[in-house]
Amino acid sequence: MLTWLQRDSLQFPPLAKAMREPNGLLAAGGDLSADRLISAYRHGCFPWFQDGQPILWWSPDPRTVLFPNELHVSRSLAKLLRQQRYRVSFDQDFAAVISACAGPRSYADGTWITQGMHDAYLQLHQRGIAHSVEVWLDDELVGGLYGLAMGQLFFGESMFSRADNASKVGFATLVGKLHEWGFALIDCQMPTQHLHNFGARAIPRATFAEYLQRHLDLPSAADWLA
């Protein structure tokens, strides 16, 4: 039975109660306050829903993750990185990145980044938890991604690209930095071929929960504005 969250409580049901079909649906309801979102990611779930739906919280099994030291960069992407065609920055324009991620896609109707989601993650950015990666061609923002950093874990959310391989350059640059900063794992949530090409793989939800317990409160060397 699906658990409905109460607005006056930040508690989530145990991950083991998530549905098998659809895979990972754990709870519904609640709100998108910054404190609830922090509680959700620390618990091992994330919000994902469309406009017109109640807020839905997910914890799929298995979980798609990328270990920073397992990043795979194709020969063509490595060549592009060496050419330095694009400039990559961090936390320079979070609002523009999330707005671009919420924009229309040729392969999808609508967006899961509702106005409420947009506002909630902007609050998390203002609290120093959500971060953006910007990819620039000259002075034009042509790609990027955003996610949350807690302890030694990064929780990826969404990316966009307006130029050839721009988001790939941003993602590969981010993973390199996370590895340098001592991050243990990048949560990719759901599997895609794009992520698997980078070396992402599936691990059991219970193993993912163990990483949360071990690494959420450990310090990292992250310096997002360096």
Side-chain angles (χ1 to χ4, degrees):
M1 180 179 294
L2 183 64
T3 299
W4 284 84
L5 304 180
Q6 303 300 313
R7 286 183 175 268
D8 59 356
S9 172
L10 299 179
Q11 295 296 314
F12 288 87
L15 298 183
K17 289 193 173 184
M19 294 182 177
R20 292 185 178 180
E21 186 59 44
N23 179 18
L25 181 56
L26 177 67
D31 56 29
L32 291 173
S33 67
D35 286 340
R36 187 182 299 278
L37 285 168
I38 292 169
S39 178
Y41 285 94
R42 292 185 64 88
H43 186 65
C45 62
F46 56 88
W48 183 34
F49 61 100
Q50 302 281 343
D51 261 331
Q53 292 181 331
I55 301 172
L56 301 175
W57 304 89
W58 301 79
S59 183
D61 189 13
R63 188 82 163 218
T64 301
V65 303
L66 174 64
F67 296 96
N69 63 344
E70 295 181 359
L71 174 68
H72 173 74
V73 176
S74 67
R75 292 174 63 183
S76 59
L77 181 56
K79 180 179 179 181
L80 183 59
L81 289 166
R82 290 194 300 269
Q83 290 172 342
Q84 298 184 334
R85 176 185 177 191
Y86 299 117
R87 177 174 60 88
V88 179
S89 63
F90 299 104
D91 280 359
Q92 294 302 300
D93 202 339
F94 185 92
V97 168
I98 192 171
S99 293
C101 288
R105 310 291 177 102
S106 60
Y107 52 83
D109 294 327
T111 176
W112 62 271
I113 305 175
T114 64
Q115 187 60 47
M117 293 277 272
H118 178 284
D119 296 344
Y121 285 94
L122 193 56
Q123 287 185 30
L124 290 174
H125 175 63
Q126 293 165 351
R127 291 174 64 165
I129 296 171
H131 301 279
S132 60
V133 179
E134 302 87 18
V135 183
W136 308 87
L137 181 59
D138 297 324
D139 293 325
E140 181 183 359
L141 182 65
V142 295
L145 62 131
Y146 74 95
L148 281 64
M150 296 189 211
Q152 296 175 348
L153 304 174
F154 186 85
F155 303 84
E157 277 300 317
S158 186
M159 62 176 64
F160 78 99
S161 187
R162 295 171 178 159
D164 288 345
N165 297 309
S167 62
K168 292 181 180 179
V169 168
F171 185 71
T173 302
L174 170 65
V175 176
K177 276 294 183 183
L178 294 176
H179 186 225
E180 178 183 320
W181 292 337
F183 277 64
L185 178 146
I186 299 164
D187 175 27
C188 302
Q189 300 179 348
M190 307 293 283
T192 67
Q193 188 58 50
H194 179 70
L195 292 167
H196 284 307
N197 290 342
F198 275 108
R201 55 187 172 95
I203 62 173
R205 181 170 56 213
T207 302
F208 178 74
E210 291 172 0
Y211 272 89
L212 294 177
Q213 292 177 352
R214 291 202 304 266
H215 296 280
L216 264 174
D217 296 312
L218 293 180
S220 75
D223 187 355
W224 294 93
L225 295 176

